[in-house]
Amino acid sequence: MIEAKFAVLRATNATEEQKRRWQGAVRLSRAFNAADKYVFSLPMWNFGIPYILKHYIDIVTLPGENWLWTPGEGYSGLLQGKRAALIYSSAGDYPVGLPSHDKDFQKPYMRTWLGFLGIDDLVEITAAPTLASPEAVAAALARARNEAERLAEGF
Ligand SMILES: Cc1cc2nc3c(=O)[nH]c(=O)nc-3n(C[C@H](O)[C@H](O)[C@H](O)COP(=O)(O)O)c2cc1C
């Protein structure tokens, strides 16, 4: 898929198989781009996002479909006027102000990727910690559920 991407983008001698694969990526990208609103629900895996989601992102993020680069203007995202809700979970807690905050590559990654595509109207809900005392986990989940119910009314 990656070889196909560069063969097609650089207009080198893409094989029929590479062109077919590229069309598959374009189809997935267009399905993604067609949405007005997005809901991502993702756990933290080793401080970042799960590789399955990263794989999806690497396939659907395509120049000419949802972002552009020009010599004059550099990068620009093509997905304007869309909203995204991000529901995060993690065993630990990574709030602003704690040393653990610097280890959180889950939320900054999602914000950066969506911002790159032009989606900067984001709402975020964090269900964390999920590995703590039963009381702390119950409180975290109740808080997240409340926020999700409020969000669902206006999203
Ligand atoms: C492969 C893997 C890696 C994980 N890495 C982290 C991590 O770096 N930090 C963390 O706080 N939790 C980590 N967790 C825990 C999950 O984020 C946590 O269990 C979360 O509640 C899972 O979400 P879910 O209950 O919605 O599936 C990891 C879990 C798995 C399976």
Side-chain angles (χ1 to χ4, degrees):
M1 178 72 83
I2 296 295
E3 280 174 9
K5 179 169 175 173
F6 286 106
V8 174
L9 285 180
R10 292 176 182 151
T12 55
N13 43 354
T15 64
E16 286 310 308
E17 168 66 5
Q18 285 175 329
K19 286 185 199 156
R20 199 181 54 75
R21 282 175 171 265
W22 171 255
Q23 281 313 316
V26 169
R27 213 169 31 248
L28 285 170
S29 182
R30 289 184 181 167
F32 176 77
N33 301 339
D36 297 324
K37 296 174 184 175
Y38 299 91
V39 178
F40 296 91
S41 175
L42 61 143
M44 177 183 284
W45 277 11
N46 294 308
F47 307 102
I49 68 169
Y51 64 88
I52 306 127
L53 176 58
K54 182 61 169 49
H55 187 187
Y56 177 74
I57 289 173
D58 290 343
I59 288 172
V60 300
T61 307
L62 295 184
E65 299 294 334
N66 43 33
W67 65 273
L68 282 180
W69 184 88
T70 59
E73 295 188 16
Y75 292 101
S76 54
L78 301 179
L79 303 186
Q80 303 292 329
K82 299 177 188 263
R83 301 191 79 193
L86 295 143
I87 323 289
Y88 304 111
S89 63
S90 54
D93 206 5
Y94 301 83
V96 177
L98 285 191
S100 61
H101 184 65
D102 291 349
K103 300 185 176 71
D104 181 353
F105 295 88
Q106 176 198 38
K107 302 169 193 68
Y109 181 80
M110 293 302 290
R111 290 173 198 142
T112 301
W113 171 60
L114 290 167
F116 177 70
L117 299 183
I119 305 173
D120 46 23
D121 183 358
L122 308 180
V123 282
E124 299 180 300
I125 296 174
T126 301
T130 61
L131 183 62
S133 69
E135 297 75 27
V137 173
L141 295 185
R143 207 167 36 240
R145 181 178 293 275
N146 269 339
E147 287 177 31
E149 282 170 4
R150 262 209 320 278
L151 168 66
E153 285 165 13
F155 189 65

